[in-house]
Amino acid sequence: MTHPVHSNADHELIRVTVQLFPTPSQDATFRAWLAALTQANGALTTVLHGTTLRAGAPALTRDEIAYLLTLVSPALEASLPPSVWPSVISQCCTRFQRRRDSSASEPSLPLDVQIQAIGEMHVHVTGQPDLVVADLWRLPLGLTEALVCTGNDHVRAVQHQGHTLRTADTAGSPAALTQLHDLIRLHGPVIGRPPGHTGVHRTQPHRAQFADLTCQIGVDGKEIWLLTCTVRVPPGWLPRAHRQDTVGVDVGVRALVTWADATDAGQLLRTTLPVGDWRPQQPATLLSAAWVRRMQFERTQAGLDQVIRHLLTYRRVAIEQLAWRGLTAGIREAMTLNGVSSLGVWLTGLGRLTGTVVCAVNPAGTSVQCGQCGQRGVLQANRVFRCQNCGDIDRDTNAARSIRRVSLEGWT
Ligand SMILES: [Zn+2]
C-alpha cells in the first residue's frame, strides 16, 4: 500500500481536503482522539520547555521523542486507532525537532493509510466498527478518483487476506481463526464491500500516504471535521499555464463564476435553481443529506471543472475573496453546495501544478467601479452596470474586470 519516498521525484504532491460527517458516536470518538493528542503534546511541551526546546540544544532523536511521549502520556498509544502510532511519533518529531512550541498549534491526528476511501461517499478508519460519511465526491477535475482508487486497492488487499485465512482455516491451520477474527475486527466494514473497478495507476493522480484529521470552525460557526490527504500527481497531468495575462474572477449565485482578462470574458451561469429552499419531508440521515448535497453539486460540476481548467491556463488569477459574514445563510448554503465557495482553494492547490499564482482580492467597491476606466458607475436594472465613459456592461463581467484591475493596480 505504501510507496517508497524516492518515487515522489517524478510526481508532484498536492493536498486535497474533504469534509467528514460522523455520527454522534463517531464524533465522540474523534474528539477523544484529538483530546488525547492535545493533552500529550501539551505535556511534552511542558517537559521539554526550557531544556531541549532552547536554541542551540541538540535535536532529539526519534527514539528519544517516542520514549518521552510514552512517559508523559502512557495511555496515548492505546487510546488512538491501531497502527497510527508511528505517524504520531513522526508528527511529534517534526514539531519538537524544529523546536516549535506545539501547544498553541491546532491539533491534528495523522491517520495516514489507516483511513481509506470506501467508494465516493465513505471513509473507514482501521479498527472502527462503521464507515464514516464523507464528501469525497466533492473534488474538482476527477480528483475524487485519486482517493477512491487507493481505497479500492486497500479493499482488495483486505479481502485477499480474508480469503487466504479462510482457506488456511479449512486446511486446518490452528492460528487462522484468530487471525481472521483480528482482520475483521480491524477491517470489518470493508470486508464485504465490492472493491470497485480501478486501482492505483501511476500515470493517474493517486493518494500518497499522508492523511490527517482536524476539527475546524466552518463558515456558519459550527465545528466541522476535515480530512486532508496528499495526492501524487504525475507530470503533465495538467498543462503549464501559458497565458501571461491576469484573469479576474467574480463569484456569485446567479452567475456562478464570471471571469475577464484584458480582452476576453466568460461566464458560468447556473442552469437550475440553487438549493436552500428544498427540505425533506422526513428527517435526513447523514447519507441522505450527503446524496442531496452531491446531486446539487453535480448540477454544476462539469461547468465548474471547465472553468477551472480555463483559469489555470493563466499565470495569475485574481479571485474575489468571499466575505462570508456579509452573506445571508441561504446564499452561503447555495454557494457551498454548488462548489463555488471552494473555487479559490481549488485553484490555489492546482495552481502549484500549472504555475498559476492565485491572489484573493477584497471585492469591496468592485461592483460599483468601472472595470475599464476605474470611474464610479451605477448599477441599473437587469443586472447592467452603467459607466458614464464606457457605457453599459453586464454587472458581473464588470465586477470580474474590476477585480482584475484591483489586483493589477493595487487599489482597494
Ligand atoms: Zn468606464
Side-chain angles (χ1 to χ4, degrees), residues 350-393:
L350 293 164
R352 293 188 52 203
L353 303 173
T354 59
T356 302
V357 178
V358 179
C359 66
V361 172
N362 181 353
T366 50
S367 60
V368 289
Q369 306 269 14
C370 175
Q372 196 96 319
C373 69
Q375 287 291 307
R376 196 179 173 85
V378 182
L379 294 171
Q380 307 284 105
N382 301 323
R383 309 195 61 84
V384 166
F385 174 85
R386 178 166 292 169
C387 170
Q388 293 276 324
N389 304 329
C390 311
D392 289 359
I393 183 176

Side-chain angles (χ1 to χ4, degrees), residues 124 128-129 183-192:
H124 181 246
Q128 288 304 294
L183 184 76
I184 295 171
R185 195 174 52 81
L186 296 177
H187 303 288
V190 171
I191 221 149

Side-chain angles (χ1 to χ4, degrees), residues 250-259 266-274 299-304 306-307 338 340 383 394-397:
D250 175 75
V251 295
V253 173
R254 182 198 68 107
L256 299 177
V257 186
T258 308
W259 57 265
Q267 212 161 43
L268 172 66
L269 291 170
R270 115 183 153 226
T271 49
T272 50
L273 280 175
R299 291 178 186 178
T300 51
Q301 189 173 21
L304 212 50
Q306 214 177 344
V307 168
N338 63 30
V340 168
R383 309 195 61 84
D394 171 80
R395 62 179 285 176
D396 295 316
T397 305

